[in-house]
Amino acid sequence: MEKHFDINQQGYSVRCKLFVKDSDKNTRTFPNVVLVTHGFGSSKDTAGTMKFAEHLTSKYKGYAVIAFDWPCHGADARKKLNAAECLTYLTIAVQYAKDVLNAANVYIYSTSFGGYLTLRYLIEVGNPFKKIALRCPATNMYRAMNNHIAEDDRAKLQKGKEIQVGYERKMKMDQSFLDDLKAFDASKHEYFEFADDMLILHGTKDEMIPFEESKAFAENNVIEFIPVEGANHPFQNPNHMALAIHKIIEFFG
C-alpha cells in the first residue's frame, strides 16, 4: 500500500509517500523505517523507489518506507534551490519517522544528489541512521553540477543572475548555490566512523558521476563497494536496478 502525505514543520511542507505492506495499512507505528531520497531533477515518484519499497516490505516484517521530494523537486512548492533547506527536509523526515511512526531504527537509501546530501548530513548534522546505502553518490556535487552548465548560463551566474535548471521541472539556481556545493566536497572528509554501516553501489558506465571517483571514496573510507557492471547513472536496465535493490535490502536486513 502507498499513501501520499505532507509533513508540515518549521514553515515547510515536505511532500512524502509512505509504503507499507497491504496487511499493515492500518498500522500506525513501525520499528524500522527506511527513508528513500532521489537524485537531482528526479522525485519520490519513481519506479525504482516503488519496486524497492515493495520488495523490502514484502520481505521483512515491521518495515515502512518513506520517500520524499527534495526542495524544488516533484510536488514540492519551493522554486529556488538551497542546500541548507535540503538538509532541513531530511531532518524533518527523520523526526517524523522517530516521533510519529515510533521507529527504533531509521535507515536511508540515497541516490546521486541525495547521496551527496546524505554524506553532507553525516558531517554537518550527525548520524541518526542505523544503516546507509548510497547508489551512485555525488561525492563532489559541485563538479557534477558545474560540468553541465551551458556557457550562456555560466555568464548569467557570473553577473549575479539566476538560471533555470532541471529536466521535466525547472528550478531556480544562483551562484551562491554552486558556491555552497563547492564548499562541501565529501571526498575531503573522513567517514571511517560510519563505514561499517555503509554500502555504496555504482555503475561502471555512469555518465554523470565518475565510477572511479566513487570507488576511490569507498576505498579511502573502507566502505563496502559494489560495482555494477554496465549500469549507467539511473540504472535504466531493469536487471541492474533489480540487483541494486536486492543488495540494499539484503544489507538493511
Side-chain angles (χ1 to χ4, degrees):
M1 186 207 81
E2 57 185 73
K3 172 186 175 183
H4 285 86
F5 69 100
D6 299 341
I7 307 173
N8 299 304
Q9 294 285 343
Q10 304 178 42
Y12 298 106
S13 183
V14 183
R15 309 304 171 93
C16 304
K17 183 185 282 189
L18 174 70
F19 298 87
V20 299
K21 190 184 301 186
D22 285 343
S23 59
D24 290 336
K25 63 182 180 181
N26 295 319
T27 303
R28 295 290 178 263
T29 63
F30 294 87
N32 303 286
V33 174
V34 180
L35 302 181
V36 178
T37 77
H38 59 78
F40 182 81
S42 186
S43 76
K44 66 183 181 303
D45 300 303
T46 67
T49 295
M50 182 181 68
K51 289 176 182 177
F52 168 80
E54 288 177 346
H55 280 73
L56 179 77
T57 56
S58 64
K59 186 175 179 65
Y60 300 129
K61 292 182 179 180
Y63 276 77
V65 174
I66 295 177
F68 65 92
D69 290 325
W70 291 120
C72 308
H73 289 72
D76 186 72
R78 309 193 79 74
K79 306 296 183 184
K80 186 175 178 179
L81 277 170
N82 180 297
E85 290 183 342
C86 292
L87 299 182
T88 298
Y89 273 36
L90 184 49
T91 294
I92 290 171
V94 169
Q95 290 175 336
Y96 183 90
K98 290 183 174 182
D99 299 341
V100 179
L101 298 184
N102 292 320
N105 303 305
V106 180
Y107 304 73
I108 191 164
Y109 163 31
S110 295
T111 300
S112 192
F113 177 52
Y116 164 82
L117 291 169
T118 298
L119 290 170
R120 182 165 173 173
Y121 194 90
L122 295 176
I123 299 298
E124 296 187 354
V125 181
N127 181 23
F129 308 113
K130 183 174 178 64
K131 289 190 176 182
I132 301 157
L134 307 176
R135 180 165 62 82
C136 307
T139 54
N140 189 327
M141 190 64 200
Y142 169 75
R143 184 161 60 210
M145 287 285 295
N146 197 48
N147 286 346
H148 293 86
I149 296 176
E151 288 303 317
D152 287 349
D153 283 339
R154 201 180 302 279
K156 291 179 182 177
L157 290 172
Q158 291 173 352
K159 293 177 181 178
K161 297 181 179 179
E162 297 175 346
I163 63 171
Q164 297 280 338
V165 295
Y167 303 105
E168 291 184 6
R169 173 179 172 176
K170 297 297 182 181
M171 60 200 92
K172 296 177 181 179
M173 183 183 79
D174 61 14
Q175 187 62 44
S176 67
F177 177 74
L178 281 176
D179 292 342
D180 192 6
L181 296 183
K182 189 175 184 180
F184 185 89
D185 179 349
S187 66
K188 305 300 183 186
H189 295 268
E190 293 183 347
Y191 290 83
F192 297 116
E193 64 179 296
F194 316 117
D196 288 346
D197 300 316
M198 290 183 70
L199 172 70
I200 296 177
L201 302 95
H202 209 110
T204 60
K205 300 297 183 182
D206 193 323
E207 69 287 357
M208 297 289 290
I209 309 297
F211 170 81
E212 292 299 333
E213 183 178 288
S214 188
K215 181 181 178 183
F217 174 80
E219 290 176 349
N220 290 339
N221 289 282
V222 200
I223 297 168
E224 183 180 357
F225 181 80
I226 299 177
V228 182
E229 191 63 39
N232 62 3
H233 187 64
F235 277 48
Q236 286 174 307
N237 184 311
N239 293 329
H240 295 153
M241 182 61 79
L243 174 62
I245 289 172
H246 171 74
K247 292 294 185 181
I248 294 168
I249 290 176
E250 190 176 62
F251 177 65
F252 285 168

